[in-house]
Amino acid sequence: FLSLVAEFCCGFFVILILGNFWFLAVLYLLWLYLDWETPCTGGRRSQWVRSWTVWKYFREYFPIHLIKTSDLNPNHNYLLGFHPHGVLVAGAFGNFCTGSNFKNLFPGLTPYLHIMPIWFGCPFFREYIMSAGMVSASKESVSYVLNNEGGGHASVIVIGGAEESLNAHPGSLTLNILKRKGFIKMALKHGAHLVPVFSFGENELFKQVANPKGSWLRNVQEKLQKIMGFALPLFHARGVFQYSFGLIPYRQPIHTVVGSPIPVKRNLNPTTEEIEQLHALYLQKLRKLFEEHKRNYGIPEHKSLIFE
């Protein structure tokens, strides 16, 4: 979805350049130059955009639900680890970028969804995603959000990243997390409490072409992901008037469960051992969150998370 909107925005920009409105394109390029760092300094959210009626229909289509398991004290800053990535990341967008569910459940906290910096280089599209509350996933951006001295900020990071979208098959519970420890280091450096978040149903929205590790398709996808910075899963779902084939996601409920916070003391120079210990604790809390709630959302008793 983001890719389609981005392509439209880029196409519109090209039309401005080639048409009689090239001067508008020049003015926008000047604006882009002057505004380049905004995605790394908290973005520029718009409550009007976040409250568009279309997002209400978007959330009700699946539907998308946000489940609270514990209070989050607004006097602290938090780093929310979102799992899994899925193809669409619908739970993250629907819960943290639209509507007032998060604000109602966690008063005093402002969520910032961190996404790949490459999206903010797209003309016009960058303005749209910033208005929805998205910011860059760069270290500088995460640090800016978590440096808020008064607390009340929540960085939302999709830990598995684009690579994890290649595992987004219905029923898949594989998370790319064992080697991802940068978010742990950021939490320690800023004293941000860690909160595991699991979005049940995220991988059920699309069917992806079989791409087991070692297959030629997976090898090509992984090479392209390293070159371009984002993955290209080959997926399909339903159409507008039929359910056999199309790119519209299936209507499968999404329940995004926000776990209890893991207190983190500020440590400007954490050792490798300290990072490993907190990472292991985070994995333990994430697994516990999943096990406690899986029965409520149709996960068979014998199934558990797979960390790789």
Side-chain angles (χ1 to χ4, degrees):
F1 176 73
L2 285 179
S3 298
L4 291 175
V5 178
E7 289 174 7
F8 173 82
C9 291
C10 288
F12 180 69
F13 185 70
V14 171
I15 291 174
L16 287 181
I17 295 176
L18 299 179
N20 295 324
F21 302 99
W22 59 267
F23 62 94
L24 293 178
V26 172
L27 287 175
Y28 184 79
L29 286 176
L30 176 61
W31 162 256
L32 196 62
Y33 173 77
L34 296 174
D35 195 56
W36 190 253
E37 295 299 322
T38 300
C40 295
T41 54
R44 187 171 46 248
R45 69 180 56 220
S46 165
Q47 191 56 41
W48 175 66
V49 173
R50 289 167 60 87
S51 302
W52 280 353
T53 303
V54 66
W55 304 134
K56 176 178 178 290
Y57 294 128
F58 172 79
R59 293 191 303 273
E60 291 178 350
Y61 171 80
F62 297 98
I64 295 175
H65 304 280
L66 185 65
I67 292 88
K68 171 183 176 179
T69 63
S70 175
D71 290 333
L72 297 181
N73 190 333
N75 294 325
H76 299 297
N77 293 316
Y78 298 89
L79 194 159
L80 277 61
F82 183 92
H83 312 270
H85 184 288
V87 172
L88 191 61
V89 204
F93 179 76
N95 286 310
F96 304 118
C97 294
T98 72
S100 58
N101 284 349
F102 184 87
K103 182 179 179 180
N104 293 336
L105 290 177
F106 303 101
L109 284 183
T110 301
Y112 296 81
L113 179 59
H114 296 269
I115 64 174
M116 290 185 298
I118 189 173
W119 294 114
F120 296 97
C122 180
F124 300 116
F125 180 67
R126 68 189 296 275
E127 320 302 336
Y128 158 68
I129 55 179
M130 277 197 291
S131 66
M134 293 183 233
V135 292
S136 172
S138 66
K139 292 181 180 179
E140 296 78 11
S141 177
V142 177
S143 291
Y144 183 92
V145 173
L146 297 181
N147 263 337
N148 190 40
E149 293 184 1
H153 281 189
S155 280
V156 183
I157 302 178
V158 185
I159 305 299
E163 181 183 358
E164 193 173 84
S165 67
L166 300 179
N167 290 328
H169 296 272
S172 173
L173 296 172
T174 300
L175 304 181
N176 292 61
I177 192 172
L178 292 181
K179 296 180 179 179
R180 296 180 181 267
K181 300 171 185 176
F183 74 103
I184 298 292
K185 187 174 182 179
M186 294 298 290
L188 282 166
K189 292 182 68 174
H190 297 285
H193 295 355
L194 281 167
V195 182
V197 178
F198 196 87
S199 195
F200 292 89
E202 200 75 44
N203 284 340
E204 317 305 315
L205 306 186
F206 296 93
K207 292 180 180 178
Q208 191 172 167
V209 175
N211 59 342
K213 285 186 176 294
S215 65
W216 69 269
L217 176 57
R218 186 61 167 257
N219 291 336
V220 170
Q221 289 174 320
E222 290 176 346
K223 288 179 180 178
L224 289 176
Q225 191 263 327
K226 291 179 180 179
I227 294 173
M228 300 184 298
F230 56 89
L232 292 173
L234 298 180
F235 60 89
H236 67 88
R238 55 163 291 183
V240 178
F241 302 110
Q242 43 79 29
Y243 289 85
S244 58
F245 188 82
L247 296 179
I248 298 176
Y250 293 115
R251 298 191 70 175
Q252 296 289 338
I254 298 172
H255 295 87
T256 303
V257 183
V258 180
S260 300
I262 304 170
V264 178
K265 291 184 178 180
R266 190 174 187 182
N267 185 346
L268 294 177
N269 296 293
T271 64
T272 300
E273 183 180 1
E274 289 170 329
I275 294 173
E276 292 286 350
Q277 288 178 348
L278 185 55
H279 186 261
L281 178 59
Y282 179 86
L283 294 183
Q284 177 186 332
K285 295 295 185 180
L286 174 60
R287 187 181 295 280
K288 181 181 178 183
L289 177 70
F290 174 81
E291 293 294 332
E292 288 179 346
H293 294 273
K294 67 180 184 181
R295 301 172 191 82
N296 298 331
Y297 307 116
I299 306 295
E301 184 66 32
H302 68 278
K303 286 205 168 187
S304 297
L305 293 178
I306 300 172
F307 298 144
E308 63 174 31

